Amino acid sequence: MGLFSRKNNESAASASAVATLPVDPALAALTGTYTIDPAHSSIGFTVRHAMVTNVRGSFAEHEGTLELNGSDPAASSASIDVKIASIDTGIADRDGHLRSGDFFDAERFPLMTFRSTKAEQLGGDLYRVTGDLTIKDVTKPLSIDLEFNGVATDVYGNERVGFEGSAEILRSEWGLTWNAALETGGVMVSDKVKLNFDISAIRNAA
């Protein structure tokens, strides 16, 4: 069963019947404001290196808010800020290059941000959040496909929700154009980048 609305399992049901389907009280009860827990969340990326392997990295510092509406998914929203200087690929020299003007220029553009403009249920526990991704003062639309992993109360009494998902971008569209040609053909870093999201968010106190 999905987070935002009950799925209609009767193939013969009309569109009007779907529209009037009662909301599951358990799902409606999840409506509220949630703060992303950076200690139990990750925002990362995967990019092809030298045409033959993948480099994976993440951003250690990020914060965000989810406004979930269990009765009306279209009324839900997400806001995320990522600190570029916190990039970590496991190699200090490479991280320094990524922070430099060749790539993110972290001193001039310290944040990568996402502000949602639309939320929709794709079916079951699958959702799509569309919004504006800003990198280096360039803002373009991005759609993120997410799976709802459920809700739980942790040992400290916090009510948590979990999502995981991904999206693909062409980094050049956000001004990340540095590259180097390989002697064997091709380039050092692919234009296509996969973004990965693993989010745990805690419900704010009323």
Side-chain angles (χ1 to χ4, degrees):
M1 182 174 291
L3 169 62
F4 296 118
S5 60
R6 177 178 293 173
K7 184 178 180 181
N8 183 6
N9 292 319
E10 297 182 10
S11 58
S14 67
S16 60
V18 173
T20 59
L21 195 65
V23 175
D24 188 321
L27 302 180
L30 296 180
T31 298
T33 301
Y34 294 75
T35 298
I36 293 175
D37 176 11
H40 297 93
S41 302
S42 65
I43 297 176
F45 59 88
T46 305
V47 61
R48 182 75 71 178
H49 176 262
M51 308 296 292
V52 297
T53 190
N54 289 318
V55 168
R56 293 174 174 81
S58 62
F59 297 92
E61 298 181 38
H62 51 83
E63 60 184 21
T65 301
L66 307 179
E67 296 285 351
L68 302 184
N69 190 314
S71 302
D72 179 9
S76 299
S77 63
S79 174
I80 301 174
D81 293 339
V82 177
K83 188 174 180 181
I84 294 297
S86 70
I87 195 167
D88 181 9
T89 65
I91 298 178
D93 287 346
R94 181 166 59 203
D95 295 342
H97 191 200
L98 290 169
R99 295 184 189 104
S100 75
D102 283 346
F103 283 95
F104 286 104
D105 200 355
E107 287 192 7
R108 292 181 59 204
F109 307 103
L111 292 179
M112 173 173 63
T113 65
F114 178 78
R115 301 289 184 267
S116 70
T117 57
K118 181 181 179 181
E120 55 187 320
Q121 185 176 17
L122 302 180
D125 289 330
L126 301 179
Y127 297 85
R128 177 170 293 151
V129 177
T130 299
D132 295 324
L133 176 67
T134 300
I135 305 173
K136 298 179 70 173
D137 276 359
V138 177
T139 300
K140 290 185 174 295
L142 175 71
S143 292
I144 305 170
D145 288 345
L146 297 164
E147 181 176 2
F148 174 54
N149 288 337
V151 58
T153 301
D154 66 23
V155 295
Y156 302 104
N158 298 312
E159 184 178 1
R160 293 178 177 269
V161 293
F163 294 89
E164 62 180 311
S166 63
E168 287 189 349
I169 67 170
L170 298 178
R171 62 187 178 90
S172 59
E173 295 184 351
W174 279 266
L176 301 171
T177 58
W178 183 92
N179 227 322
L182 302 175
E183 292 184 3
T184 53
V187 292
M188 181 69 73
V189 185
S190 68
D191 193 20
K192 182 185 294 185
V193 180
K194 182 178 181 181
L195 303 177
N196 306 299
F197 303 87
D198 198 343
I199 302 298
S200 177
I202 297 173
R203 185 170 192 164
N204 293 2

